[in-house]
Amino acid sequence: MRYVIRVLLVTPEVRRAAPSAVERAKIELDRALGASKLLVGEAGASYRADDSDVLGPSPDVVVLASSAEDVQKTLAIAERHEVPVTPRAAGTGRTGGAVPAAGGIVLATHALAQVKDIDRVDMLAVVQPGVVTGALHAMCEKEGLFYPPDPNSLDMCMIGGNVAENAGGPRAFKYGVTREYVLGLGVCLMGGHALHVGRRTVKGVTGYDMTALFVGSEGTLGVFTEVTLRLVPKPPQIATILALFTDVHACGAAVTRVLGRGIRPRCLELLDAKTLEAIRGQVSIDPRAGAMLLCEVDGEALEDETERLGEALSQGEGVVDVLVAQDAAQRARLWAGRRALSTATRKLARHKISEDVVVPRSKISELLRRVDRIGEENATRHLTYGHAGDGNLHVNFLWDDDSERPKIDRSLELLMRATIELGGTLSGEHGIGVTKAEYLPLEQSSELIELQRSIKKVFDPKDLLNPGKIFPAKGHKAC
Ligand SMILES: Cc1cc2nc3c(=O)[nH]c(=O)nc-3n(C[C@H](O)[C@H](O)[C@H](O)COP(=O)(O)OP(=O)(O)OC[C@H]3O[C@@H](n4cnc5c(N)ncnc54)[C@H](O)[C@@H]3O)c2cc1C
């Protein structure tokens, strides 16, 4: 059984609802939705956490919404009684986005799980937010269509959470992230106002791009009740190549060679030496290897592309081996190893924090060098894997003893600072949530943060929808 030790979330700036207001809201929710859609007390305890290391207060009530009307009614009642609401899908988020920082209502949308339409002519899907991403992949592929975004949590995470976090995944290098596929949204605002933003057409420039604003808004602007997604034709063929290197710097150089030759694999996943150690039990790996690239190409001219990729990978220093997967079963085994990385590396220590910083691709090697230096200077254990094609690296810090936490925090801050110095960004896919809010001022000016706070006020003047997320606490040292 997986055992995660979590830190109790402290957000004194987040206002909790008055107990009497909560009681009135609960009575109204019970009347409007029925007791079977509400969880209270211990029954709602598992909704305090997501896949980050923070634990929020117990929600006063969890609403198990099963229709857009349930969402609407909940947001109307919550605003009337000024009770905070935290939207939630599968709870696989890595930055505490679905953790109820203010207690109040957790609005669970996992039961809105209908695929309403898969349209082969217009190449789009209309789905509810609780549809599991991997299940949507399978349904689209049966129709000869393809929904590219593939977070490694795809067997659990849901489209609503993916849209709220603007999720990416290994295939983002070629196909882009969730934002590129969201055409339109059914959204319910705080107070219960239902809206439809966006369209069903591929082109469309009417008014402000409100869909783009909602994508990546981390549950702070509105609650999605329906998502219209653009699909593309299913690629006819796929080839998977595994390249092994003596060390991560030889691996970084191979990434530069591949990109420099204009080759665009759909995935280019990097694993460093310590990450390889964690999966050696599952996948047999040459003992000389100190780093690995898992690459995938798809499309029509597959043989040519595979050959060009193989050449680019092999023609450099520090190459141990380059192997092409021979069949679907081998491909599946390699990807199972990659998708299990997060869980496998978690077993290496009592605590693990996985960051998702992004640097320009040309700076990957420099970031890896800086991470090594941060580790040495602060005596912190670390490992790195990630989406090298996008420069999006999961730098993980590991520790066993609680007394090590201050040096982990120092290492995290140094990582964030190094990322920004190299022209990068704090998050490529996990969002800011609560765990990274304090670092936001390292990347964004106070004017920009204030502008975003003003936008939030337009949608949610009383700051009731997912409070305590994205923005640093007022008066924070970095503000
Ligand atoms: C093993 C593992 C691997 C992962 N790999 C990746 C990866 O490759 N790429 C990647 O991008 N992420 C990855 N993640 C992180 C996570 O899976 C994604 O952030 C995912 O998009 C979260 O989806 P969810 O359904 O779990 O959302 P939740 O965690 O439930 O919620 C995430 C956010 O969405 C908001 N939200 C949820 N539902 C709604 C709604 N209906 N309307 C409005 N807001 C809503 C919540 O308030 C919260 O802020 C990984 C996580 C794990 C555990």
Side-chain angles (χ1 to χ4, degrees), residues 87 89-94 97 152-153 158 161-162 164-165 168 218 224 429 466:
T92 68
R94 283 281 163 86
N152 282 308
S153 49
M158 295 170 181
N162 290 178
E165 298 292 0
E218 301 193 27
F224 315 134
E429 47 188 30
N466 216 356

Side-chain angles (χ1 to χ4, degrees), residues 62 80 110 113 131 138 161 164 169 178 181 222 242 282 289 319 362 368 370 388 405 410:
V62 178
R80 197 152 50 241
H110 59 264
V131 170
T178 303
Y181 297 89
L242 178 77
Q282 286 162 277
V319 182
S362 57
L368 293 170
R370 293 211 192 182
R405 184 71 208 217
R410 205 161 47 245

Side-chain angles (χ1 to χ4, degrees), residues 58-177:
S58 287
D60 296 296
V61 55
V62 178
V63 173
L64 306 172
S66 60
S67 65
E69 291 69 40
D70 289 349
V71 172
Q72 229 177 324
K73 286 177 190 165
T74 305
L75 294 179
I77 293 168
E79 187 169 77
R80 197 152 50 241
H81 297 288
E82 304 200 1
V83 177
V85 178
T86 304
R88 183 180 180 101
T92 68
R94 283 281 163 86
T95 54
V99 171
I105 299 169
V106 167
L107 178 48
T109 54
H110 59 264
L112 280 108
Q114 241 183 303
V115 173
K116 292 184 163 178
D117 190 15
I118 295 186
D119 186 325
R120 292 175 67 173
V121 177
D122 288 335
M123 295 217 288
L124 54 81
V126 181
V127 306
Q128 288 188 318
V131 170
V132 173
T133 310
L136 180 65
H137 286 162
M139 290 177 79
C140 292
E141 286 172 35
K142 245 195 223 162
E143 301 292 326
L145 295 167
F146 189 50
Y147 175 62
D150 61 337
N152 282 308
S153 49
L154 56 84
D155 290 336
M156 304 173 279
C157 68
M158 295 170 181
I159 294 295
N162 290 178
V163 174
E165 298 292 0
N166 191 15
R171 299 197 291 236
F173 177 45
K174 177 167 178 181
Y175 288 101
V177 295

